[in-house]
Amino acid sequence: RRIKTIVQHLKDFARQTPSDMEQQINLKAVADAAITILSALIRKSTDHFQFIAPEDSCCFVKGDFQKLEQVIINLITNACHALEDRSKSLSVTICCIHDSGKIRLSVADEGKGIPAAVLPHIFDPFFTTKRDSGGTGLGLSISYGIAQDHKGDLSVHSELGKGSVFTLELPSISKR
């Protein structure tokens, strides 16, 4: 059953459909799908994974499920690659910011961290610190563009040796 679910999520992820930015999307469901697709990588990377999300209706945003899934997959994949051993933690957290009407998804890792000199370029197209291991430098750039297309923002806070937190912030809508 688990394999069937993963295969279905991969098929849905790979399916090219025209972008419908007016869909009402449950961001928790998007994160669940991304986590299912990446479950083997997550298990291989850490013994300390957490997914924390509210149950209430603030998890809804307007946008494109597959594009948001692409962002979350990229952020989790990068976080897994940043972990130096399985004892380091990785978490995905969704929270509602009721005062501003926003929803925030954060991917936090206890990985290597990003050098201060690199941070200003992290969302630049083709900028990568992983060229020798096959990095193209497109993942974060594309993810940033998708966040902007959803009238949101993608930001990062990082400290060398302590890890990074990537935060996707989107306008929330109430469930109809």
Side-chain angles (χ1 to χ4, degrees), residues 48-108:
H48 305 282
F49 176 75
Q50 267 192 311
F51 177 43
I52 303 161
E55 292 297 329
D56 65 14
S57 62
C58 86
C59 286
F60 284 82
V61 298
K62 262 190 190 173
D64 182 289
F65 188 102
Q66 287 177 303
K67 288 184 185 271
L68 291 172
E69 183 180 42
Q70 181 180 357
V71 172
I72 297 168
I73 284 173
N74 184 56
L75 296 178
I76 295 172
T77 300
N78 287 352
C80 286
H81 291 164
L83 297 175
E84 295 173 303
D85 62 67
R86 295 175 54 80
S87 69
K88 303 294 183 178
S89 71
L90 167 62
S91 66
V92 177
T93 306
I94 298 175
C95 66
C96 303
I97 310 161
H98 295 289
D99 296 347
S100 65
K102 303 230 179 204
I103 184 166
R104 180 180 293 153
L105 179 139
S106 298
V107 177

Side-chain angles (χ1 to χ4, degrees), residues 11 18 21 27 33 40-41 45 58 79 108 110 119 123 127-128 136 138 157 172:
K11 283 179 170 179
M21 298 296 286
L27 197 59
L41 176 62
S45 302
C58 86
E110 291 182 332
L119 278 173
F123 298 114
F127 180 83
T128 182
T136 63
L138 289 174
H157 173 77
S172 67

Side-chain angles (χ1 to χ4, degrees), residues 23-34:
Q23 296 176 46
Q24 290 188 18
I25 306 295
N26 182 334
L27 197 59
K28 183 179 178 197
V30 178
D32 275 330

Side-chain angles (χ1 to χ4, degrees), residues 102-175:
K102 303 230 179 204
I103 184 166
R104 180 180 293 153
L105 179 139
S106 298
V107 177
D109 67 68
E110 291 182 332
K112 302 174 227 173
I114 302 167
V118 170
L119 278 173
H121 306 287
I122 203 83
F123 298 114
D124 293 350
F126 303 107
F127 180 83
T128 182
T129 59
K130 300 188 280 185
R131 195 158 316 277
D132 57 343
S133 61
T136 63
L138 289 174
L140 288 174
S141 174
I142 290 169
S143 295
Y144 184 82
I146 291 170
Q148 298 289 303
D149 289 346
H150 284 80
K151 297 177 178 43
D153 190 41
L154 182 60
S155 61
V156 61
H157 173 77
S158 186
E159 289 185 54
L160 270 181
K162 294 188 177 181
S164 302
V165 179
F166 281 83
T167 303
L168 174 65
E169 197 169 275
L170 300 167
S172 67
I173 60 171
S174 55
K175 185 180 171 189

